[in-house]
């Protein structure tokens, strides 16, 4: 803006000087033309009075004046061109002034917009700071919540494990079995030495801890158990001896002598309460003869009294 004003002042000064120079040239031109006319009117008398040297001098002077006149004419033409250029420059200056005014208005509007944007930016920065603080607080709360959820999850897993254990214990506590020797038919079975009896006819096997293929009962839970076994013999030449084993140790025994014509059938039984650990095995072994049919049974049974 300041540069445009300085340029405008310089142009105006130049225009004033050009106009003054043009006025001076006009005066000089008029003087030259007037003097020339006067000289032309006075030349005859001069020649009569002053002689030839004065006439030559005046001729040279008027020749120089004509040269000056031509120069003045050229300057007037140049001034005319300069005047046109100055006029065009003044128009350009006006246009530039108008453009400058528009630019100033736009700059003022831009500065106002900049101030508004700065204020809005400051407000957004303040809001962003508050939002970041809230986000940080929420992040901390989320971390606490996640820790709490993880703690609750672990507690739930522990509770589920406890419930599962209790359910397993409750299922295991429902334990009982009762079996007999033969699944069908009747007859004696003989063993020369003590060998495990395999009771194949299953009356009850709650929990399936008795194996009808091996004759073994396996304790699923540490606890106190009750076991009972019976033996029946009929028309046998060998005595009957039954022993209950815990793992590899004989615990109790039941038996009778071989039968006779006056005592054709005999029965024997025994029972015991045992404390077993998980995996302990209980079985019955026979040496001699035993009888089994649909009514006279050789049996083996047991159940859990209470867990430990």
């Amino acid at each position: 803006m300041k540069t445009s004003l300085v340029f405008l002042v310089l142009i105006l000064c130049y225009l004033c000087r050009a106009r003054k120079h043009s006025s001076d040239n006009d005066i000089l031109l008029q003087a030259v033309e007037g003097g020339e006319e006067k000289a032309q009117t006075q030349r005859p008398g001069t020649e009569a009075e002053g002689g030839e040297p004065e006439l030559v001098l005046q001729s040279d002077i008027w020749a120089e004046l004509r040269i000056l006149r031509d120069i003045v004419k050229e300057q007037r033409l140049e001034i005319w061109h300069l005047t046109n250029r100055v006029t065009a420059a003044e128009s350009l200056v006006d246009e530039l002034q108008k453009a400058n005014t528009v630019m100033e208005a736009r700059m003022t509007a831009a500065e106002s917009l900049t101030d508004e944007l700065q204020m809005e930016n400051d407000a957004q920065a303040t809001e962003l700071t508050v939002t970041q603080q809230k986000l940080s607080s929420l992040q901390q709360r989320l971390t606490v919540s996640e820790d709490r959820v993880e703690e609750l999850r672990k507690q739930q897993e522990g509770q589920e494990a406890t419930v599962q254990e209790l359910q397993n214990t409750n299922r295991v506590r429902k334990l009982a079995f009762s079996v007999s020797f033969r699944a069908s038919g009747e007859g004696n079975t003989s063993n020369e030495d003590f060998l495990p009896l395999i009771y194949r006819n299953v009356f009850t096997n709650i929990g399936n801890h008795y194996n009808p293929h091996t004759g073994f009962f396996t304790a699923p839970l540490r606890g106190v158990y009750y076991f009972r076994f019976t033996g029946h013999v009929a028309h046998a030449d060998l005595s009957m001896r039954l022993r209950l084993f815990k793992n590899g140790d004989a615990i109790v025994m039941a038996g009778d002598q071989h039968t006779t014509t006056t005592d054709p059938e005999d029965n024997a039984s025994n029972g015991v309460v045992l404390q077993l650990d998980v995996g302990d095995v209980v079985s019955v072994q026979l040496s001699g003869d035993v009888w089994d049919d649909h009514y006279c049974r050789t049996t083996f049974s047991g159940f859990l009294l209470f867990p430990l």
Side-chain angles (χ1 to χ4, degrees):
M1 178 178 179
K2 292 181 179 180
T3 304
S4 299
L5 291 176
V6 172
F7 180 70
L8 177 60
V9 171
L10 292 175
I11 291 175
L12 292 176
C13 291
Y14 181 78
L15 179 61
C16 292
R17 290 178 61 189
R19 286 178 178 176
K20 183 178 179 182
H21 191 200
S22 177
S23 299
D24 295 340
N25 289 336
D26 290 339
I27 294 171
L28 179 61
L29 181 60
Q30 290 175 1
V32 172
E33 290 176 349
E36 185 178 4
E37 290 176 357
K38 184 178 179 181
Q40 289 176 357
T41 56
Q42 294 179 356
R43 183 175 298 174
T46 303
E47 292 175 355
E49 295 176 358
E52 184 177 356
E54 184 178 355
L55 180 61
V56 174
L57 177 61
Q58 289 179 356
S59 297
D60 294 337
I61 291 173
W62 293 119
E64 291 179 2
L65 289 176
R66 280 193 297 271
I67 294 172
L68 289 174
R69 184 190 60 185
D70 294 337
I71 293 173
V72 167
K73 288 181 178 180
E74 291 177 358
Q75 288 182 350
R76 288 181 66 184
L77 180 61
E78 183 179 356
I79 289 171
W80 180 80
H81 288 295
L82 287 175
T83 301
N84 292 333
R85 292 176 63 184
V86 168
T87 302
E90 287 177 346
S91 300
L92 179 60
V93 167
D94 291 337
E95 293 178 0
L96 290 175
Q97 183 65 33
K98 293 178 181 180
N100 186 58
T101 303
V102 174
M103 289 297 294
E104 286 181 350
R106 291 177 61 185
M107 182 170 293
T108 301
E111 289 176 350
S112 299
L113 180 60
T114 300
D115 293 337
E116 293 177 0
L117 291 176
Q118 183 64 40
M119 294 175 63
E120 184 178 355
N121 185 59
D122 294 339
Q124 289 180 353
T126 302
E127 183 178 359
L128 178 61
T129 301
V130 174
T131 303
Q132 288 177 345
Q133 292 175 354
K134 290 182 179 179
L135 181 61
S136 178
S137 177
L138 290 175
Q139 184 66 34
Q140 292 177 358
R141 291 175 61 187
L142 178 61
T143 302
V144 173
S145 299
E146 288 177 346
D147 294 340
R148 180 60 178 166
V149 168
E150 182 65 20
E151 182 180 353
L152 292 175
R153 186 185 64 80
K154 291 181 180 179
Q155 290 180 0
Q156 183 179 4
E157 290 178 354
Q159 291 173 355
E160 290 177 353
T162 302
V163 169
Q164 185 65 34
E165 183 179 355
L166 290 174
Q167 289 177 349
N168 293 336
T169 301
N170 188 49
R171 284 195 296 267
V172 171
R173 291 184 64 179
K174 297 177 181 180
L175 184 154
F177 72 95
S178 180
V179 293
S180 65
F181 184 61
R182 288 180 180 269
S184 63
E186 61 180 26
N188 285 325
T189 297
S190 299
N191 287 330
E192 294 182 359
D193 200 357
F194 283 100
L195 295 175
L197 279 178
I198 300 176
Y199 297 87
R200 300 188 181 279
N201 183 45
V202 178
F203 297 114
T204 302
N205 190 13
I206 298 174
N208 293 318
H209 299 294
Y210 170 77
N211 190 336
H213 301 290
T214 62
F216 295 156
F217 168 81
T218 303
L221 186 69
R222 186 173 183 269
V224 177
Y225 296 79
Y226 173 75
F227 296 98
R228 181 172 179 81
F229 60 99
T230 66
H232 181 80
V233 64
H235 310 289
D237 296 332
L238 299 176
S239 61
M240 175 182 59
R241 291 181 296 172
L242 297 170
R243 292 191 301 187
L244 186 141
F245 278 78
K246 172 188 173 182
N247 297 327
D249 300 326
I251 305 300
V252 292
M253 179 176 177
D256 202 347
Q257 296 291 331
H258 62 83
T259 60
T260 62
T261 56
T262 57
D263 185 17
E265 296 185 8
D266 285 317
N267 290 291
S269 65
N270 207 341
V272 65
V273 174
L274 296 177
Q275 177 178 328
L276 301 179
D277 290 325
V278 177
D280 285 345
V281 177
V282 177
S283 62
V284 176
Q285 294 186 5
L286 168 68
S287 176
D289 285 346
V290 291
W291 175 274
D292 194 83
D293 60 25
H294 293 291
Y295 302 102
C296 299
R297 300 285 190 178
T298 294
T299 63
F300 179 33
S301 60
F303 58 89
L304 174 66
L305 290 175
F306 54 86
L308 295 178

